[in-house]
Amino acid sequence: MSQNAASILAGDHHVHSTFSDDATSTLAENVAAAVEHGVARLRLVDHVRQSTTWVPDFLRAVAELDVPDGLTVLTGVEAKILNASGSLDIPPGLSFGDGGIDTVLIADHQFPGTDGPWSPREARERLDQGLDVGYALDLLIGALVGAMESVPSAQLAHCFSILPKIGLSEGDFTDDQLRTWARAAARTGTLLEVNEKWACPGPRALRAAVDAGVTLVASTDSHAAGDIGRYARVNHLLAEAGVE
Ligand SMILES: [Zn+2]
Ligand SMILES: [Zn+2]
């Protein structure tokens, strides 16, 4: 599928509201800011855990929003990957599609270890103590693939933002690892977000994704409405990846 930068940059696919405890704007304030900034597609997203109970309230509140013509509003919940098999920290019985959420944002907030999530510090310590970098990156790719395969509709949130936190970079991936990741995203119809806040993924991973046929979306990961649709880094990442 052909993708162009202008159309990608007209969307903001990762915008938090007060349903997340670290964000300051309401759903309605986010919609108003998107309209004001000329955003065409807005994905309202909040952080969930297995214990989260507000998803039905969130969906009801989104359904009641006054959305003007010209703006498409989508929904999502953002969940961390819990382990190397790609289990997600989502509440049980989550419903998708009509009356449910549109997509799960798969987040690398912690490192997906063999025995559960490793904090960035714990992952760094394991690497310092001799954990093989190639093996660690296989764990990460395997977890992302498992997570993408476990839900009907997914978006990779700030993918690989975990790497600098553990002293690694996307340059440490082999071409094979990136190909495996990109093909899994294409096969499962997972969207790949190009994230303004974390400026990731980098051009090499984006190129691998585009070559595999993955659909890219832009996101600010906004926690305040004033940031919605404002890009200073995503446009450069797209250009460096050859998406014009
Ligand atoms: Zn996140
Ligand atoms: Zn987020």
Side-chain angles (χ1 to χ4, degrees), residues 71-204:
L71 176 66
T72 301
V73 168
L74 305 161
T75 58
V77 292
E78 179 175 8
K80 71 171 173 292
I81 312 175
L82 290 167
N83 55 39
S85 49
S87 305
L88 287 163
D89 196 0
I90 50 176
L94 208 54
S95 69
F96 289 84
D98 218 11
I101 55 158
D102 295 321
T103 198
V104 172
L105 276 71
I106 297 171
D108 55 356
H109 294 149
Q110 309 258 287
F111 190 88
T114 45
D115 55 352
W118 299 341
S119 71
R121 192 172 62 104
E122 189 182 352
R124 210 167 45 230
E125 282 168 3
R126 285 176 189 256
L127 289 162
D128 288 345
Q129 288 159 13
L131 178 71
D132 182 70
V133 170
Y135 172 71
L137 292 175
D138 276 343
L139 290 181
L140 177 59
I141 296 293
L144 288 162
V145 173
M148 289 189 263
E149 287 172 344
S150 75
V151 286
S153 170
Q155 173 176 320
L156 296 174
H158 48 65
C159 200
F160 307 137
S161 65
I162 186 77
L163 292 177
K165 299 178 190 171
I166 64 171
L168 301 179
S169 78
E170 290 174 27
D172 294 312
F173 282 125
T174 63
D175 288 340
D176 268 352
Q177 284 171 324
L178 284 179
R179 234 183 337 257
T180 299
W181 164 80
R183 284 178 182 167
R187 189 173 67 238
T188 55
T190 299
L191 302 172
L192 176 61
E193 155 190 320
V194 192
N195 186 291
E196 174 71 19
K197 187 175 170 189
W198 296 94
C200 68
R204 178 170 167 243

Side-chain angles (χ1 to χ4, degrees), residues 9-66:
L9 292 165
D12 191 339
H13 283 252
H14 185 159
V15 165
H16 288 279
S17 80
T18 45
F19 279 91
S20 297
D21 46 19
D22 56 351
T24 57
S25 300
T26 63
L27 294 168
E29 286 166 343
N30 286 338
V31 166
V35 170
E36 193 184 333
H37 200 65
V39 170
R41 289 171 303 281
L42 178 71
R43 188 182 302 283
L44 299 166
V45 174
D46 283 296
H47 289 290
V48 293
R49 298 169 160 271
Q50 284 169 344
S51 58
T52 296
T53 56
W54 50 253
V55 174
D57 297 335
F58 167 78
L59 290 170
R60 209 169 303 121
V62 172
E64 286 168 3
L65 287 168
D66 191 10

